[in-house]
Amino acid sequence: MYLRTIHALSVVLLIAVPRAIASQPCAQFSPSPIPIQQLPDYFPPHTSLDATTLLDTEAMRQTLTFYPYIIDGRAFPSLSSIFTTDAVANYSAPLGVLKGLSTIAATLEQALASFPGTQHLLGPQSVRICDSKKAISVTYYRAVHFLPQNGTVGPGDIVGGDSVLYAYGQYQDTWEKRDGLWKIVYRNLVYMGPFVTGTN
Ligand SMILES: *[C@@H]1O[C@H](CO)[C@@H](O)[C@H](O)[C@H]1NC(C)=O
Ligand SMILES: *[C@@H]1O[C@H](CO)[C@@H](O)[C@H](O)[C@H]1NC(C)=O
């Protein structure tokens, strides 16, 4: 009898979990980002998670982790593992709205060419599954851009005594699952402060 009650409870829980997640509204991250003040409304801690949600979430986390490796390693063709071919990315001023994977890759490559190196550190990260084929995520980042030192100075270079430039922001990503793979279809890069230079 006792066991039966437990069994009945677990059945109720299993049914309740997908409903709780389905009722979680997904923020509209495209085409425009949502204000940072609204993030707590859309990304409260999960009260429960089912296995499918965990697997999908982990797949997206690993894909996001791959992004700094590509950017800092200047392996831009590998961005095809992260963005769909028709992806749109709003990288904010000065880069603006980039349409299509090839434009995203070429623009980022050119924008980073003047820095001898970069390091993108990802911070807090939340993923929400909207339905079986759509998800959103928010990821904080801090990007360190090492400035050219005493080398040849040309257009796009930054001169002065500083050795690093920091950028503070977050990615608000919209995902789609196509052919079994989660990829970003729309990205908003939202800056969370000014560009700051320093001497590291
Ligand atoms: C692009 O991002 C900027 C800054 O986050 C935002 O102000 C702007 O509205 C976005 N542009 C579009 C077309 O959504
Ligand atoms: C660049 O070279 C100048 C002159 O040699 C030197 O005074 C300065 O400290 C160097 N700057 C850096 C950041 O190394």
Side-chain angles (χ1 to χ4, degrees):
M1 187 60 204
Y2 179 64
L3 275 177
R4 225 181 248 181
T5 310
I6 288 178
H7 179 69
L9 266 179
S10 64
V11 169
V12 169
L13 279 177
L14 279 176
I15 294 168
V17 166
R19 276 198 195 139
I21 287 164
S23 65
Q24 176 86 46
C26 273
Q28 186 65 38
F29 274 180
S30 61
S32 300
I34 66 165
I36 293 160
Q37 293 78 359
Q38 287 180 15
L39 288 179
D41 294 338
Y42 289 105
F43 295 96
H46 276 293
T47 48
S48 54
L49 281 170
D50 66 317
T52 308
T53 303
L54 276 177
L55 291 174
D56 284 338
T57 300
E58 180 58 16
M60 281 178 268
R61 274 192 205 288
Q62 291 196 13
T63 300
L64 284 163
T65 299
F66 196 43
Y67 180 78
Y69 302 160
I70 295 172
I71 297 298
D72 298 329
R74 314 283 166 113
F76 297 99
S78 295
L79 284 171
S80 61
S81 308
I82 296 181
F83 295 100
T84 59
T85 313
D86 57 351
V88 175
N90 178 3
Y91 269 79
S92 297
L95 298 186
V97 179
L98 313 175
K99 292 186 176 154
L101 171 64
S102 52
T103 304
I104 295 169
T107 306
L108 293 183
E109 180 167 12
Q110 197 193 1
L112 295 171
S114 58
F115 301 106
T118 53
Q119 186 191 41
H120 286 68
L121 298 173
L122 302 186
Q125 187 172 73
S126 297
V127 178
R128 280 294 181 279
I129 314 289
C130 309
D131 61 43
S132 62
K133 301 258 183 252
K134 190 188 166 194
I136 57 167
S137 66
V138 60
T139 306
Y140 276 27
Y141 76 88
R142 180 175 300 178
V144 188
H145 303 73
F146 301 104
L147 297 172
Q149 297 300 311
N150 279 347
T152 310
V153 178
D157 283 352
I158 299 164
V159 290
D162 295 328
S163 56
V164 286
L165 179 147
Y166 294 101
Y168 306 84
Q170 56 178 275
Y171 305 113
Q172 294 185 6
D173 292 322
T174 302
W175 300 73
E176 276 182 26
K177 194 178 195 180
R178 296 185 192 169
D179 301 327
L181 284 177
W182 286 101
K183 290 190 186 177
I184 296 170
V185 292
Y186 201 100
R187 158 162 288 189
N188 267 301
L189 181 158
V190 188
Y191 286 115
M192 299 173 73
F195 296 116
V196 179
T197 56
T199 50
N200 205 14

